[in-house]
Amino acid sequence: MDDRGAVEVQEQRSSRQDLTAMWRRQEPYWHGVFAAVWAAAVVVTALDDAPPHGRFPTYALLGVVGVAYVVLGTRGLRHQGERWAVAYQVVAWVALLGIQAVDPETQSWLLFFALFPQMWAMLEVPNAVRGTVIALVAFGGLRWVQADFSGQGLVNILISTVISLSLSLALGLFINRIVAEAEGRAATIDELRATQDRLAAVERDRGVQDERERISREIHDTLAQGFTSVVTLTRAADAALARGDVATARERLSLVERTAVDNLAEARLIVAELTPGHLQSRTLVEAMQRLGAAVSSETGMHADVTVDGEPAPLGGVAEVVLLRTAQEALSNVRRHASAGHVAVSLAYEPERVVLTVCDDGRGFETGEDRGGFGLDGVRARAAQVGGEVDLTSVPGSGTTLRLEVPR
């Protein structure tokens, strides 16, 4: 299983654990309700008139119900296995039937208020329906026997049994529906989290691929060309030495040094762009200022960074687009413009944010093909966030790149 699959499984397990934890938090209330109903049955038994054979059998059977709940019922509530729930229900209902048999006038039917909800909470729906029907039919049959099979008694028993069955089934189905809805929500959360993980993975992969393409273009356009120049100049210097032209050889070696220095500066700029924390540990404004300082220190070209308006978070994608556009523009200025000064302006307006990069370099005719990898990448990034790019240039008067990003 890959890492993303492991994450999905972990999220699914977390949702189920949350549901289980919610159920566990309800356990004290279930215990409290049972204890209150059981105690009420004991008190009512004590207050009622004692049957001819005394109260001991009733107390003993009530004790059986209490012990069965502690030993078996608590496990059934925790869903540690349906066998525990079935065993508890059988013992409790048989004991309650025994109380009805030895004391027909008993008020221990109060335990119905605990046993029926427990049955639906512990058992699957089909088993809960069967248990409800069996219990009520058994009690109705026992009461009819105790009524000497009276016709009028049968009518009363049937009416009370039908009412009890209807109420029990309604309550049980209601409880089951609540549980089913909770499980359905947990499943939905699992699906949403899995979908979010997949989308995040796709976005990460796409971002990594885009960044690889950008870096490969920059390396090809700068470092590779610089190293090619170094090789060519070195061969020219070697040829000059072979001819005995020391002055030309020194000139070529001086050009090799300058080219190597430029390549080193370019490599440092690329590394600076990849330094972790560009937008992770600082704001966009701070990242822009850091970028301007790096350009100034590495190239000797003076870079001013100004901010107009009140800076506000724009969201990760928009801020990355603005930062990468500034990086691309400054890289082009350094490589092509022969500029001494470049101004980077970031303006926060009510409905948009405007990035302007303006240099005093040599410029070019606007009709020239200046698309290239860099500008194409800028336009592609801007399109992702609904932005617009405008490039203007005048020969001898510099170039201005303007990017508008909606807020």
Side-chain angles (χ1 to χ4, degrees):
M1 181 181 294
D2 59 12
D3 292 339
R4 281 175 288 183
V7 170
E8 292 179 8
V9 172
Q10 183 178 2
E11 295 293 349
Q12 291 172 353
R13 289 178 180 172
S14 178
S15 296
R16 294 191 182 99
Q17 289 174 353
D18 289 344
L19 188 59
T20 301
M22 182 276 293
W23 182 254
R24 289 290 178 86
R25 289 194 296 270
Q26 305 303 317
E27 282 187 22
Y29 299 101
W30 286 90
H31 300 335
V33 169
F34 176 81
V37 173
W38 185 87
V42 173
V43 171
V44 170
T45 299
L47 296 177
D48 283 345
D49 294 333
H53 48 72
R55 296 192 179 94
F56 176 77
T58 301
Y59 287 144
L61 290 170
L62 286 173
V64 169
V65 175
V67 172
Y69 179 77
V70 173
V71 176
L72 304 173
T74 53
R75 296 185 180 183
L77 278 176
R78 293 171 186 166
H79 297 129
Q80 296 179 353
E82 197 171 27
R83 67 182 186 278
W84 299 107
V86 171
Y88 164 66
Q89 292 292 329
V90 170
V91 172
W93 285 105
V94 169
L96 197 55
L97 279 169
I99 294 174
Q100 179 68 35
V102 300
D103 187 3
E105 303 300 325
T106 182
Q107 301 297 317
S108 298
W109 55 266
L110 290 172
L111 287 172
F112 284 7
F113 290 105
L115 293 180
F116 277 124
Q118 288 174 355
M119 183 182 296
W120 286 89
M122 294 180 185
L123 302 178
E124 297 292 335
V125 174
N127 291 333
V129 171
R130 295 188 192 101
T132 301
V133 173
I134 292 172
L136 288 174
V137 169
F139 266 91
L142 179 59
R143 289 172 57 198
W144 190 36
V145 171
Q146 291 174 335
D148 295 327
F149 301 100
S150 168
Q152 183 60 39
L154 177 61
V155 173
N156 295 334
I157 291 170
L158 287 176
I159 293 174
S160 62
T161 300
V162 169
I163 294 175
S164 298
L165 180 62
S166 300
L167 293 176
S168 300
L169 292 177
L171 177 61
L173 292 174
F174 176 72
I175 294 174
N176 181 74
R177 181 175 180 180
I178 292 176
V179 174
E181 288 182 356
E183 292 176 347
R185 290 192 182 98
T188 301
I189 292 172
D190 288 342
E191 294 176 1
L192 289 175
R193 287 176 175 173
T195 301
Q196 289 174 347
D197 290 339
R198 288 193 293 268
L199 289 176
V202 170
E203 290 294 328
R204 286 195 298 269
D205 293 342
R206 187 174 65 180
V208 169
Q209 184 64 29
D210 291 344
E211 197 65 12
R212 285 175 179 172
E213 292 178 0
R214 186 187 70 82
I215 294 173
S216 65
R217 290 195 298 266
E218 291 187 2
I219 291 175
H220 176 270
D221 293 342
T222 57
L223 300 182
Q225 293 179 7
F227 288 133
T228 300
S229 298
V230 168
V231 172
T232 302
L233 291 171
T234 301
R235 290 174 179 173
D238 184 64
L241 288 175
R243 296 192 308 269
D245 189 353
V246 177
T248 300
R250 286 179 176 174
E251 180 185 355
R252 297 294 182 268
L253 291 175
S254 177
L255 289 175
V256 168
E257 181 181 5
R258 287 202 296 272
T259 302
V261 169
D262 289 341
N263 257 26
L264 179 61
E266 183 65 31
R268 287 175 176 171
L269 282 177
I270 293 175
V271 171
E273 292 176 2
L274 297 177
T275 300
H278 246 77
L279 284 176
Q280 296 175 3
S281 59
R282 55 180 58 87
T283 65
L284 176 62
V285 172
E286 292 171 341
M288 288 288 189
Q289 293 171 343
R290 176 189 174 98
L291 179 62
V295 170
S296 297
S297 63
E298 295 292 345
T299 66
M301 178 176 60
H302 186 64
D304 282 335
V305 178
T306 60
V307 179
D308 296 326
E310 185 66 26
L314 305 175
V317 176
E319 292 187 346
V320 168
V321 168
L322 289 166
L323 180 61
R324 291 305 186 197
T325 299
Q327 291 172 338
E328 193 68 46
L330 290 173
S331 178
N332 286 333
V333 170
R334 190 192 68 79
R335 293 200 303 264
H336 306 301
S338 300
H341 179 268
V342 60
V344 180
S345 172
L346 193 61
Y348 287 86
E349 299 179 2
E351 297 182 356
R352 61 184 178 178
V353 176
V354 180
L355 170 68
T356 305
V357 181
C358 182
D359 67 75
D360 61 357
R362 60 190 180 189
F364 57 89
E365 292 288 347
T366 55
E368 298 179 19
D369 182 10
R370 292 283 171 167
F373 282 127
L375 190 55
D376 288 343
V378 168
R379 287 170 175 159
R381 287 194 181 101
Q384 292 178 357
V385 294
E388 297 180 358
V389 179
D390 181 49
L391 182 68
T392 59
S393 183
V394 177
S397 298
T399 302
T400 300
L401 174 70
R402 177 184 174 89
L403 168 64
E404 296 183 4
V405 174
R407 296 184 66 169

